[in-house]
Amino acid sequence: MRTTKALAAAASAILIYGASAAEAACDKTEKVTAVWLPIMQTTAYFVALEEKLFEKACIEIVSTKMEAPNQIIDALIAERADFGPPGAAAGIAMVAESKFPGKLKVFGLQGGGIAVDRINDGLLVKPDSPIKSFADLKGKTLGHVPGIQWRTISRTMVRAAGLDPDTDVKLIDLAVAMQVPAVVGGTVDATLSLEPVGSIAVASGKAIRAVTNPVAKVIADPFYSGAAIMTTKFLKERPDVARKVVAAIDEATDLVNAGFAKYKPLLTKYTPTKEDQLEFLAQPYLRGFKDLNETDLKSYQALVDIFIKEGVMSGPMNVHDKILVKSDLGN
């Protein structure tokens, strides 16, 4: 009996000590607001939440899910949020920067590419479609992710195939969930779709990729459509906290890159992905802040340049000026 009581007392002491130690480790908890999209490119953020990487850094995350890429950038520009985790729109961010210079910094990129063997996008058609490339879209309809980013990318893809996006092809904003049904039902002839739409469609047998990673073949390889973004207000006012956020996302990015199979079930919690679709998902190409190199920045520059060429934003713009540097974090 005495032994049992002693053990119970010891266990209680350990619990009390553990709680005290945790409190001591976080004398102050910083509240940070994140705005994110329920897509695959955001996986590192989901892992950071599940592995409690922010909590370990004494950060309380106010996590707000958005439904469209422009909503994230609007919230950051208006300073209603501190950062957009991986998966924020890389192109729209720079359009916003051209209008409101000095508001944002990029600290990671997400996408895919041919050389790295990671699928980011595909030209989806019916299995019996005569469309084999963008050049076959004359007189046809092409669906794409809603918004200026993928409208601009789609126009560039059509031009690169020798067609006029204003007269030869009808471009249609199409919600992600409606893309495969639209192809199967004949509402559109093809879609330029982001993962995991292509993987799931191909696995179902209802559609095929006429072209895999078409954007990487035309704009840049690798190609990044997503970015991790932080406001300069957050950086200037709380550089120590910003540094912890970047470190947490970098750590989570490493975990995903090394163990995607382990972590992809989280997508059923944070995205519309269903459990029976997990085995078909293609692993995204995720680049954390510490890994960004000149190849990545050249790719990002190529995306920004097409926005300037299409008249969506004024230029020139050097993306090197928009990338986070260690000195921004007080290092």
Side-chain angles (χ1 to χ4, degrees):
M1 188 71 174
R2 288 178 181 176
T3 302
T4 302
K5 288 182 178 180
L7 288 172
S12 177
I14 290 170
L15 287 173
I16 293 170
Y17 172 77
S20 300
E23 289 172 6
C26 290
D27 291 332
K28 181 181 180 183
T29 299
E30 292 281 354
K31 187 173 290 188
V32 176
T33 301
V35 282
W36 55 279
L37 283 178
I39 59 175
M40 281 185 65
Q41 292 182 353
T42 314
T43 304
Y45 176 65
F46 307 149
V47 170
L49 292 175
E50 293 296 317
E51 296 289 356
K52 301 188 183 304
L53 300 184
F54 295 116
E55 290 179 31
K56 292 173 185 176
C58 302
I59 293 172
E60 178 189 347
I61 291 288
V62 178
S63 190
T64 305
K65 182 173 73 172
M66 298 295 191
E67 297 302 328
N70 63 293
Q71 293 176 348
I72 288 181
I73 306 305
D74 288 347
L76 294 173
I77 292 295
E79 298 174 347
R80 297 192 303 270
D82 300 306
F83 80 106
I92 299 175
M94 292 302 100
V95 173
E97 260 293 299
S98 71
K99 296 178 180 178
F100 306 98
K103 282 276 195 175
L104 307 174
K105 286 285 186 177
V106 172
F107 66 98
L109 294 168
Q110 305 83 43
I114 300 161
V116 297
D117 194 27
R118 292 285 186 266
I119 301 175
N120 183 69
D121 48 78
L123 179 64
L124 302 187
V125 298
K126 286 182 182 180
D128 60 351
S129 173
I131 298 171
K132 307 300 181 187
S133 70
F134 281 83
D136 298 323
L137 289 173
K138 188 168 184 177
K140 307 292 187 182
T141 52
L142 175 67
H144 60 78
V145 177
I148 192 62
Q149 175 157 313
W150 282 94
R151 173 60 61 107
T152 303
I153 292 170
S154 297
R155 288 175 62 86
T156 299
M157 298 302 296
V158 170
R159 285 192 199 281
L163 302 178
D164 186 333
D166 293 314
T167 59
D168 291 332
V169 182
K170 183 177 182 181
L171 300 178
I172 298 176
D173 281 20
L174 202 55
V176 172
M178 296 305 299
Q179 290 179 4
V180 174
V183 170
V184 174
T187 305
V188 295
D189 297 295
T191 60
L192 177 55
S193 295
L194 277 168
E195 283 298 304
V197 175
S199 290
I200 293 170
V202 171
S204 73
K206 295 179 180 179
I208 62 171
R209 291 190 192 94
V211 187
T212 300
N213 278 333
V215 184
K217 294 178 180 179
V218 171
I219 297 177
D221 185 24
F223 173 72
Y224 300 109
S225 55
I229 303 166
M230 191 170 281
T231 69
T232 53
K233 179 177 185 290
F234 179 43
L235 282 166
K236 290 174 181 176
E237 294 182 354
R238 296 189 287 168
D240 291 343
V241 183
R243 184 170 62 249
K244 292 177 182 178
V245 168
V246 172
I249 293 296
D250 267 8
E251 182 179 349
T253 299
D254 286 345
L255 290 173
V256 176
N257 286 336
F260 180 64
K262 173 184 176 181
Y263 288 109
K264 67 181 178 181
L266 291 179
L267 294 169
T268 62
K269 176 178 179 179
Y270 291 97
T271 79
T273 305
K274 296 179 174 57
E275 191 171 343
D276 61 359
Q277 298 171 334
L278 290 175
E279 64 179 294
F280 306 119
L281 301 186
Q283 183 171 346
Y285 189 52
L286 309 178
R287 302 289 285 170
F289 171 61
K290 65 181 177 57
D291 298 320
L292 293 178
N293 58 31
E294 277 304 311
T295 297
D296 300 324
L297 299 192
K298 281 180 66 177
S299 174
Y300 196 14
Q301 185 69 59
L303 174 61
V304 171
D305 288 345
I306 71 163
F307 276 79
I308 296 170
K309 187 176 181 179
E310 284 287 334
V312 176
M313 59 183 279
S314 59
M317 176 184 284
N318 187 339
V319 298
H320 287 75
D321 299 333
K322 308 301 179 181
I323 303 296
L324 184 74
V325 295
K326 289 183 178 180
S327 60
D328 292 328
L329 299 170
N331 291 344

